[in-house]
Each structure stands twice: as C-alpha cells, then as structure tokens.
Amino acid sequence: MMPGAYIPSAYLPILITLMAATAFVAGGLLLGAIFKLRRPYSEKLLSYESGNPPVGEPRERFSIKFYVVAMLFVVFDVEAAFLYPWAVAFGNIGLYGFWGMVIFILIIFIGYAYDWKMGALDWKAVNKGTREG
Amino acid sequence: MDFVITLAIIVIKIAVVFGAVLFHVAYATYFERKIIGRMQARYGPMEVGPHGLLQPFADMIKLFFKEDIAPASADRPLFYIAPAIVVISAMTALSVLPFFDRFVIADIDIGLLFLLVITSLSVYGIVIAGWASNSKYSFLGGLRSAAQLISYEIAMGLSLVGVMLMAGSLNLSDIVRAQHQHPLGMFAFPQFLGFFVFVVAAFAETNRAPFDLPEAESELVAGYFTEYSGFRFAFFFLGEYVAMLTMSAVAALCFLGGWTIPMFMTNAMPFLSYVPGIIWFLVKVYAFMFFYYWIRATLPRYRYDQLMAIGWKVLMPLAFVNVLITAFAKRWL
C-alpha cells in the first residue's frame, strides 16, 4: 500500500453490511432450495389472470404518462441534489449563497409552472383524450 | 491485529443490528394485525401461542415450506434477482442509522444522502419484478410503483433539505446532536412543514396505505409481486417492512431528536435523563410505526391521479417553500 494513500475506512462497514445482507439473502435462497417443494403442472405455471387462461401479451402498450413522470423526475431530482451541498455549506456562503439559491429555485419554478400549465402534472386530463385512441 | 479487532467489532455490530431489525420486522407484522384488528373491533391473531405471540414464526415457517413457483413465461434470471435487490438495498440502508449515541455501523459524513440513495435502489427490484413476471397485474403494478416512488422521492429529498440547513450536516449523528442543542429540542417543531411533507412522502415511498396503489388488491391483485410465492414473496414482504422501519428511524433521527429528548424536558423532569438513549429512540420509532398502522386502519386508498397530484402539485411546492423559509430564517432570524 502506498504511504499516504487515501483509504475511505469509514465506508468499509457499509461494504461489510452489503456483504452480510447478500449473505443473508443467499442463505435464505439456499434454505428455500433445500426445502424445495416443486410439483409444477402446466396450469400452475401460467401467469395469474383471475383464474382464466391469460389473454394476449402481458407487456402491452401502456400510458405515455409514465415516461413523462420519469422525465420530470430526472430533471427535478437533479435539481434537488444541487440543494444538498448548498444546505450543508449554507453557514459559510453568506448572502451570495442565499440569493444565488433563490434565483436557482425561481428558475426551477418557471419550468415547474410551465409543466403544470401544459398538463404534464395532470394524470387524468391527458388520459381522457388519448387512452381510447 | 488492530484491523482484526476493528473488523470483529463491525461484524458484531452488524449481527446485532440485523438480529434486532429482523426481530422487529417479525413483530411489526404481528402488531400491525393486532392493532388493526383492535381498531376494527376484532381480536387479530389469537391461536398460535398466548395472544397469538408466536404467529410471526408460524408465518415464517409456512412461507419457507410453500412451493416456489416461477411462471413458465417469466424471465427467470431477472425474476430471481428482483427480490434480492429489494432486500439487500433495504438492509444495507441500516448501516448508517445511529441507534444511540456512538452506536452506528458506519459513521459517514454523508449518512443522509447515502440513505436516500440506497433506499431508492429498491425501485429497480420492483420494476424488474414487474417486468420479469410477465403477467399483466405485475407489469402494471411495477410501473405504477416506479412512477409513485420516483414522484415522492423528490418531495422527500426536498423535505430533508430543511433539516440539513438547520443542522449544517448530512451526518445523522450530527443532525441528532444539533437538535439536542436547539432550544426546541426537535426539528419537528421548527420544521413542521418539512415534517408534514416527509411523513406523507414516507408513506408513499414505502407503498403503505393510503398510497398502497401498487398493491391495490381490488384492481391489481398484489401488484408487482403477484407471481411470487414462498420465500421469494417473503423477501418482498421483508424488504417492505425493513423499509418502513428505516423510514420510521429517519423520522425519529431527523425530526424527532433521535436518542435525545429536548432539554426543556430534562430540565423540568431531571430523572428523564437517566433513561438510556436507545429507549427514547425505540419509543419514537414505535410511535411512528403505530402511526403507519393507525393511518392504514383509518384512511381509504387514493385514486392514482390523486396520488400523482398530491406528490407533484402539493408536496413539491410545499417542500420548496419550506427550504426558502428555513434558509431565510437561518440567515436573518
């Protein structure tokens, strides 16, 4: 090991916890495999559909709204992530930091208001027109 | 040699935490059924052991001996991996929670951020489960759940910014100490807006009533784990309850003062300071868990469009307003 190399030792316990959790799951799966009880027949292996034989493809077309939500999430979650370091450092960055963030949040809000006005945040109104199309 | 001792201490700590949490998960299910039963004027589990106290173990044994069915049309590797992702991410999240003063597996500076990151990983397990099951109910449940989790994650992340501002740290132990130094003793009072947003978002993030749409029995059977049975089903169940306990712990640590109690209380009643910190922490976690059950027994389920509207149109602006108010108050008051 190089002298003076940075060793993130505070994070080592997390790695060990991760391994312990994985071992726990693996142990559970192993126990399950030991007590394995399998008497499959073709009806049992069908996907569940209220007792009827499944109709059509399960992975059908679904509402476009899910994509919109995912896109909004990416945008707003990144913006939320910008707030964390700012919040921690807030005591040291003074007035400049405060007004800087006010302007940042204002800009977010313009986008947010636009999304709202365009109906990106409404689940119902959009579905009314497009669902049966 | 030093390294070995450190390692041994870490392993022992992990064993203690995992053991305690699994025990609590087992009895959280028992108390949930018991409390909701009482609220609906019935007894809840009574048969196994005195007052049904051995019911969780009976359930566990039953789940292990159940047949493990994977549908013929399922995407096998993904179908098997999904519950593991949910449980592993939920249990790894426990590593940064301080249960009482200086008892934490990993005392890292970005504890709260790590917690947000690792708990949101369970979305992958849910989406993969929904996709891999190749069933209509699972697919829709997985999609719904993913959309719900990511929507409320923003509100939750923003509601915690107020706490970060007040504590000036992301280390959960430091946040608790900052609360102890605060005259009100708990951030739930000055951060009542943030606390409200956090509580609502925490209910939605753990897929609990009144936001349990991903597993809305009446329309989606069991949502993303419709096709799972036996111990794989148990893993999803376990993941959900560990996540609930984690959320309760975060609420206790970030808003309710963790293992400390407000100073004005110890000043008024000095004997309270002799109670060990873990007791206070557990009392707060239990109270929050009870709140989960209480809400489940009280409120009906929301519609999906209502759920999305609450997340995006109510909680998010509230959280932003809370951030600005807190920053303003910290700068000038």
Side-chain angles (χ1 to χ4, degrees):
Chain A
M1 213 177 286
M2 272 191 307
Y6 173 63
I7 304 155
S9 53
Y11 294 83
L12 181 67
I14 293 180
L15 191 67
I16 299 173
T17 316
L18 185 68
M19 294 194 298
T22 313
F24 173 78
V25 170
L29 294 179
L30 197 71
L31 269 180
I34 290 169
F35 299 123
K36 185 155 72 177
L37 176 87
R38 259 196 203 144
R39 295 193 196 104
Y41 47 90
S42 60
E43 280 80 14
K44 197 188 267 178
L45 292 179
L46 285 178
S47 340
Y48 178 75
E49 211 164 299
S50 313
N52 296 322
V55 181
E57 244 316 275
R59 289 161 190 165
E60 280 187 36
R61 288 169 58 179
F62 56 90
S63 174
I64 189 76
K65 294 297 302 177
F66 287 109
Y67 289 107
V68 179
V69 168
M71 279 193 294
L72 288 176
F73 166 73
V74 171
V75 174
F76 284 106
D77 207 44
V78 168
E79 277 158 349
F82 276 123
L83 286 167
Y84 301 157
W86 169 78
V88 174
F90 187 70
N92 307 321
I93 50 180
L95 214 53
Y96 177 74
F98 177 77
W99 287 112
M101 193 43 84
V102 168
I103 292 167
F104 181 72
I105 289 178
L106 262 180
I107 295 172
I108 295 177
F109 243 88
I110 295 170
Y112 176 74
Y114 177 76
D115 288 340
W116 192 323
K117 192 163 174 295
M118 297 306 281
L121 308 180
D122 294 309
W123 196 271
K124 230 181 165 186
V126 178
N127 269 0
K128 229 185 280 169
T130 55
R131 231 358 234 279
E132 280 85 36
Chain B
M1 198 58 214
D2 260 7
F3 183 69
V4 175
I5 293 171
T6 324
L7 211 63
I9 291 173
I10 293 170
V11 171
I12 291 168
K13 268 185 180 172
I14 292 171
V16 169
V17 169
F18 277 16
V21 167
L22 290 176
F23 180 77
H24 275 83
V25 165
Y27 277 94
T29 62
Y30 169 77
F31 279 108
E32 173 162 27
R33 297 167 66 180
K34 210 72 183 166
I35 289 167
I36 291 179
R38 286 288 173 178
M39 285 176 176
Q40 296 169 344
R42 49 190 178 84
Y43 285 114
M46 282 299 268
E47 295 300 322
V48 193
H51 290 274
L53 269 170
L54 296 174
Q55 186 71 43
F57 296 101
D59 286 343
M60 209 163 64
I61 293 166
K62 184 193 79 173
L63 281 171
F64 258 104
F65 286 99
K66 280 269 177 184
E67 185 173 351
D68 172 33
I69 307 167
S73 57
D75 197 335
R76 290 295 170 94
L78 290 178
F79 187 82
Y80 291 150
I81 266 177
I85 295 177
V86 172
V87 176
I88 292 173
S89 67
M91 293 191 85
T92 309
L94 300 170
S95 61
V96 292
L97 297 175
F99 294 89
F100 50 91
D101 205 5
R102 281 184 288 280
F103 184 87
V104 48
I105 296 173
D107 193 18
I108 58 172
D109 289 337
I110 54 157
L112 194 49
L113 183 63
F114 177 81
L115 209 62
L116 287 171
V117 170
I118 199 88
T119 50
S120 57
L121 280 184
S122 65
V123 176
Y124 287 104
I126 288 168
V127 170
I128 291 173
W131 173 262
S133 301
N134 214 343
S135 151
K136 292 190 185 78
Y137 295 115
S138 306
F139 185 58
L140 290 174
L143 275 177
R144 274 189 179 192
S145 186
Q148 171 178 339
L149 290 182
I150 61 178
S151 297
Y152 279 79
E153 203 164 289
I154 300 173
M156 184 153 84
L158 287 173
S159 71
L160 290 166
V161 172
V163 171
M164 298 170 197
L165 271 168
M166 294 196 71
S169 173
L170 284 170
N171 183 315
L172 285 160
S173 305
D174 286 349
I175 290 175
V176 171
R177 287 189 199 107
Q179 288 180 75
H180 194 51
Q181 256 119 54
H182 195 273
L184 287 171
M186 286 179 186
F187 283 166
F189 297 121
Q191 284 290 319
F192 60 91
L193 212 53
F195 188 47
F196 169 74
V197 173
F198 177 83
V199 170
V200 178
F203 277 63
E205 281 285 295
T206 44
N207 288 335
R208 294 288 302 184
F211 304 114
D212 55 346
L213 284 120
E215 37 201 276
E217 296 90 348
S218 45
E219 31 190 298
L220 284 179
V221 191
Y224 54 87
F225 53 74
T226 301
E227 295 294 348
Y228 285 86
S229 57
F231 57 94
R232 291 182 206 280
F233 170 79
F235 276 158
F236 276 117
F237 206 68
L238 180 70
E240 183 180 325
Y241 275 81
V242 173
M244 273 168 74
L245 279 169
T246 310
M247 280 299 161
S248 308
V250 175
L253 290 167
C254 291
F255 290 101
L256 301 174
W259 64 83
T260 66
I261 47 168
M263 275 201 238
F264 62 81
M265 273 174 79
T266 40
N267 287 345
M269 290 171 280
F271 62 90
L272 285 180
S273 56
Y274 295 111
V275 180
I278 182 77
I279 303 282
W280 292 123
F281 180 72
L282 286 178
V283 164
K284 287 163 186 172
V285 171
Y286 293 165
F288 203 83
M289 290 296 280
F290 178 77
F291 192 56
Y292 264 119
Y293 305 151
W294 191 8
I295 293 287
R296 184 177 162 195
T298 310
L299 293 180
R301 189 179 296 136
Y302 279 105
R303 272 201 331 264
Y304 201 70
D305 58 309
Q306 291 172 326
L307 168 95
M308 284 311 198
I310 293 170
W312 287 100
K313 293 182 177 175
V314 179
L315 294 186
M316 225 175 86
L318 268 183
F320 266 120
V321 167
N322 178 53
V323 170
L324 287 178
I325 293 176
T326 312
F328 181 82
K330 180 159 178 176
R331 187 72 183 77
W332 280 288
L333 299 181

